[in-house]
Amino acid sequence: MLTSLRHLLSILLLPFLVTVVVPLWLLNKFAAGDMRWGNVTLLVWMLRLAGGVLGLIGLGLFSWGVSLFARVGQGTLAPWDPTRRLVAVGPYRHVRNPMISGVALMLLGQALFWGSGILGLWAGCFVLINHIYFLLSEEPGLEQRFGNSYRLYKSNVPRWIPRLKPWSGQ
């Protein structure tokens, strides 16, 4: 029960805020005329479909990462309740940050689905903020916590662009 509450709290405070609260606020505040729901062209429907697919892929990738953090890493996605073990399985064999990639895909999917440039800008800001955070805080902290095993992982698995062949841990 306590573990479930830890995960729920970290999800509500971090990705829910980023993927639901901020986009709704941006759409309501700045983008009333930026949404293309009035257009019914084939291109608009294709962009909506692509946005929906990207959003679902992002949600799946994010959810998979959260479950691996809980089961394998024995922690949460929150910096205040980090994993106790290095997670280098599943999508983490292809890319070091699949949860952030999943959230970025959800944001990009929202931008396409709603036809919103302001949401596209938010997606770009989210990626930039996380990139800076990972360089300055997350990765140095992981090197401190996990030592050589993280350094080996980091040297073999890219930060953002997935490798095609999964890393075997060797």
Side-chain angles (χ1 to χ4, degrees), residues 62-129:
F62 170 77
S63 301
W64 191 5
V66 168
S67 72
L68 290 172
F69 263 37
R71 287 191 335 258
V72 177
Q74 300 171 350
T76 73
L77 59 94
W80 60 84
D81 188 15
T83 58
R84 289 157 187 76
R85 294 180 43 205
L86 180 63
V87 178
V89 297
Y92 291 91
R93 294 175 62 201
H94 296 273
V95 65
R96 291 198 311 261
N97 303 299
M99 277 194 283
I100 298 297
S101 299
V103 171
L105 285 173
M106 285 190 273
L107 293 174
L108 182 58
Q110 288 176 1
L112 289 172
F113 186 81
W114 292 108
S116 173
I118 196 80
L119 290 184
L121 182 62
W122 169 234
C125 288
F126 171 79
V127 169
L128 180 63
I129 290 165

Side-chain angles (χ1 to χ4, degrees), residues 17-35 107 110-111 114 116-126:
L17 184 67
V18 167
T19 61
V20 176
V21 175
V22 171
L24 283 174
W25 179 77
L26 288 171
L27 287 172
N28 287 326
K29 182 78 173 170
F30 299 105
D34 191 25
M35 295 173 14
L107 293 174
Q110 288 176 1
W114 292 108
S116 173
I118 196 80
L119 290 184
L121 182 62
W122 169 234
C125 288
F126 171 79

